[in-house]
Amino acid sequence: MWVEIICGLIIYQLYRLFFYGTTHALDVETSDFNAIFSVANRLEKLCGGKAYVGLNIPDADTGTRKNIDIVLISKGEAAVISVKNVSGFVSINEDGTWTCEGGRSHRKERLPDPVAEVKKRASILESYLEQRGVALPEGYFSYKVIIPNPNFREIYRNFPPEVITYDQWVQLEPEPKSMMFGWVKGAFNGGKKAMQDSFHQQLNFILGTAPMWDRLELKGSKYVLGEFLEFKGKEEDTQALRHIKRSKVGHIATQKTSMLGLAHSKLQVVYYPRDYRSEGASSSEWREVEVRSSTEVVFHPSNSNKVRKYKLSSITSMSLSA
């Protein structure tokens, strides 16, 4: 009897670990990325223009690449945005670092100065754009830190003007007649004149072709930014997917097709060849293959030291940077 009870407890713990522990880890892993995409979508509604998400810009000084959460470009705004999905009680130290207590990790955390960090990212972006032939005045980009987490609590309310706290963020309105809209313009414009159309087009083209992280969109509107590595699965499935390489393909989408009896369900993977002449591809260029739903995508999230595997059946789409 005791053997059955112990075995039952072990099976129960394994069940919880497999079905709930993994889900919780995935939720924590994707929450920061989801916050970035949510902020980007709202900024486009508030200010118009285009928000570029997940840039991975080379830094000539260090020989490494630096992550930029969002670059917002419109005819009235040009801003580098850092999204800090922090929760709990947050205070600023004398050296500009942040101390977070009672957040997701339930322990005291210290963050490097986010304002100094995003300011440096803006400078790196300006240098990169100049290398690609864009003449920018020094300090052309404004920079902001946005905190979209409703569980954020500020202590002493001494955050600098470059930081948009959660309470400020939720009060912003896109309506031109609202009092807060002028505050948005002030927050992201900084008194700059509207860009010339030709300059605006050049800037958008270069940012659209700048190095970016690969992007996974998972079911449930969850996102992951990072680097696609390879497909894993049965040999016939990986062979069917062998043409999907970043040099040749820019985007794939998945769709469940069939399940016959006890056989493995199949997924239809739709992809199109990368077209360097334009941002999209015509419908005649799409290609399709069918693979088992158990096929996996090996992906390295940019916010993790570990490589993860995602089943194709959990993925809605994947975008690959050039």
Side-chain angles (χ1 to χ4, degrees), residues 74-144:
S74 76
K75 292 187 177 181
E77 288 78 38
V80 174
I81 311 295
S82 174
V83 179
K84 294 298 181 184
N85 191 32
V86 293
S87 60
F89 294 92
V90 183
S91 59
I92 298 182
N93 304 305
E94 291 183 1
D95 60 357
T97 59
W98 292 9
T99 298
C100 309
E101 299 183 73
R104 290 177 303 183
S105 63
H106 303 290
R107 56 187 174 84
K108 195 172 185 178
E109 293 182 287
R110 195 180 184 95
L111 300 179
D113 185 347
V115 175
E117 188 178 70
V118 72
K119 180 180 180 181
K120 178 61 176 177
R121 295 291 195 272
S123 176
I124 291 171
L125 178 62
E126 289 178 345
S127 297
Y128 169 78
L129 291 172
E130 288 173 356
Q131 290 174 6
R132 292 196 59 180
V134 180
L136 292 172
E138 184 177 355
Y140 181 80
F141 280 91
S142 61
Y143 49 89
K144 294 292 174 182

